[in-house]
Every structure is written in structure tokens, then in C-alpha cells.
């Protein structure tokens, strides 16, 4: 079972690389923000898988903090778009 979880974490890590490319090349800020959201949620998924393999509750807490920070970033971006210029 641990091997399957590690393989799944590796596949998700490839997704992180792909979203990093979109962050660097994204033509608009909205594309970069969407890629950053994908990167953070995928990173949280990798942390949860690694927490299960290593039996480490600290990694689960870190994943939760990462998702919460991601939600704050998205809320700040949306409020910045709605603000009058």
C-alpha cells in the first residue's frame, strides 16, 4: 500500500511541475492565480499522501495550513479584481 501512495505522490508531483510552468508562462494574472491554486491544492494532496506513508500528523497539519492560505490568496485576488480602479 505504501508503494501505491508513493507512486500517487510522484504523479501529483509531476502535476506540480506542470502548474509551475503555467505560473511562469501564464499570459494573464488570472491564469497565474488559477495555476497557483492548482499548485497549492496538489501540494496539499502530496503532503496528505506522505503523511499517511510516514504516519506524521504534522504533515497533515501543514497540508491544512496550505489549503487555508490558498483560500485567502484566492479571496484577496477576487476582491482586488472587483475593486474600482
Amino acid at each position: 500500500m505504501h508503494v501505491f501512495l508513493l507512486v500517487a505522490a510522484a504523479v501529483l508531483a509531476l502535476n506540480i511541475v506542470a502548474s509551475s510552468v503555467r505560473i511562469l508562462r501564464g499570459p494573464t494574472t488570472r491564469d497565474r492565480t488559477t495555476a497557483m491554486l492548482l499548485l497549492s491544492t496538489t501540494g496539499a494532496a502530496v503532503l496528505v499522501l506522505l503523511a499517511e506513508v510516514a504516519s506524521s500528523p504534522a504533515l497533515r497539519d501543514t497540508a491544512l495550513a496550505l489549503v487555508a492560505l490558498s483560500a485567502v490568496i484566492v479571496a484577496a485576488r477576487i476582491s482586488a479584481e472587483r475593486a474600482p480602479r
Side-chain angles (χ1 to χ4, degrees):
M1 185 66 169
H2 291 300
V3 174
F4 173 74
L5 293 176
L6 288 174
V7 169
V11 169
L12 289 173
L14 290 174
N15 191 8
I16 289 173
V17 172
S19 63
S20 298
V21 170
R22 175 49 61 192
I23 289 173
L24 295 174
R25 294 185 55 208
T28 66
T29 306
R30 187 172 286 182
D31 290 332
R32 288 185 173 106
T33 304
T34 304
M36 181 61 86
L37 182 62
L38 174 66
L39 185 126
S40 64
T41 55
T42 305
V46 169
L47 287 173
V48 168
L49 288 173
L50 293 177
E52 186 62 32
V53 170
S55 298
S56 174
L59 287 176
R60 286 188 197 101
D61 294 340
T62 305
L64 181 61
L66 185 61
V67 169
L69 181 61
S70 173
V72 170
I73 290 171
V74 169
R77 176 69 186 142
I78 289 172
S79 67
E81 281 186 6
R82 290 185 180 174
R85 293 181 185 188

